[in-house]
Amino acid sequence: MSIVIKEKDKQIAILVAFFIIVTLDLIFILGWQWRSLSNKYKNASQKKQAIIALEADLRNLEGYKTEIAALDDKIVNLRLAIIDEVDISALIENISNLADSCGVKITQIKPVLDVNNPKFVQVRDSKFGEIEIQIIAKSDFHQLGSFINKFETNKYYLKLFSLDITTESKNYFVQNIALALKSFVNIKE
């Protein structure tokens, strides 16, 4: 028994073999080239985006210089609002004078530096340390409001950190006040 292959079946077999060879060629031989080309396309696309961003930054360079100058001025102004570490007594005296001008009677005022967990801020060539000033005082609500307004608009940087108000048992118009202010001092090394 012999197998006879017709001419049409030979052509179909040749075409199938051709498609199999081409497919294998695309998968194994040209596949790595396709992956390499696609990686290069992604890389080129990322570099193009970086170039576009760089060109935008170059166009805005003058604006950035102006913004940097404004921030430098702001740092200088804030540096003027922060006292030196050795002048803490001047800050306390300033707070005491503000309280006196508002009618707030300070019974105790003391600076507190957290030596176990000191907090510092480094700005260019300066180092600033956080300080808390605890105040115990007596006043009425209007005097207290005026005092808070004055130290928040003071030339020195002071921020209200905590406030505890209790009414005095003998006179309901007098409030016992315990408040803490936060500030920064310029640390000279």
Side-chain angles (χ1 to χ4, degrees):
M1 179 143 154
S2 74
I3 297 178
V4 177
I5 299 176
K6 297 180 184 175
E7 188 63 35
K8 187 175 184 182
D9 290 339
K10 284 182 184 179
Q11 290 175 351
I12 291 174
I14 291 173
L15 278 175
V16 168
F18 176 75
F19 283 121
I20 290 173
I21 292 171
V22 168
T23 303
L24 290 175
D25 184 38
L26 288 175
I27 292 173
F28 293 110
I29 298 174
L30 297 178
W32 68 272
Q33 290 176 341
W34 177 255
R35 286 187 295 277
S36 175
L37 185 63
S38 120
N39 287 338
K40 295 216 186 283
Y41 175 76
K42 287 178 188 175
N43 192 8
S45 177
Q46 290 173 349
K47 287 183 180 180
K48 182 179 179 184
Q49 293 298 322
I51 288 171
I52 290 170
L54 181 61
E55 287 173 344
D57 286 345
L58 287 173
R59 282 191 297 275
N60 295 330
L61 186 60
E62 289 303 317
Y64 292 146
K65 286 180 181 178
T66 304
E67 185 178 348
I68 288 170
L71 289 173
D72 283 341
D73 290 343
K74 190 174 182 180
I75 288 171
V76 167
N77 291 336
L78 289 175
R79 193 174 289 157
L80 293 175
I82 297 175
I83 64 167
D84 290 334
E85 185 178 24
V86 295
D87 294 332
I88 292 175
S89 60
L91 179 64
I92 290 174
E93 183 179 343
N94 181 274
I95 293 170
S96 179
N97 290 340
L98 290 174
D100 286 343
S101 71
C102 297
V104 175
K105 307 289 187 267
I106 294 179
T107 56
Q108 182 181 10
I109 185 169
K110 65 179 178 179
V112 178
L113 293 171
D114 190 0
V115 292
N116 295 332
N117 188 18
K119 296 178 182 171
F120 297 105
V121 176
Q122 186 74 37
V123 178
R124 289 195 180 177
D125 57 347
S126 298
K127 185 175 183 181
F128 301 102
E130 188 176 58
I131 184 173
E132 181 178 330
I133 300 170
Q134 296 175 346
I135 301 172
I136 297 175
K138 292 184 181 212
S139 74
D140 68 21
F141 281 112
H142 296 291
Q143 293 167 333
L144 175 62
S146 177
F147 176 57
I148 290 172
N149 181 47
K150 283 196 176 187
F151 74 70
E152 284 186 343
T153 58
N154 191 18
K155 67 179 181 178
Y156 297 120
Y157 174 77
L158 294 166
K159 182 178 180 182
L160 183 62
F161 180 67
S162 70
L163 176 64
D164 184 33
I165 302 173
T166 56
T167 303
E168 193 171 279
S169 59
K170 296 177 185 172
N171 184 353
Y172 290 110
F173 294 108
V174 177
Q175 310 302 319
N176 294 320
I177 304 160
L179 61 96
L181 304 176
K182 291 273 183 161
S183 186
F184 288 92
V185 292
N186 189 7
I187 298 173
K188 301 288 184 182
E189 295 184 275

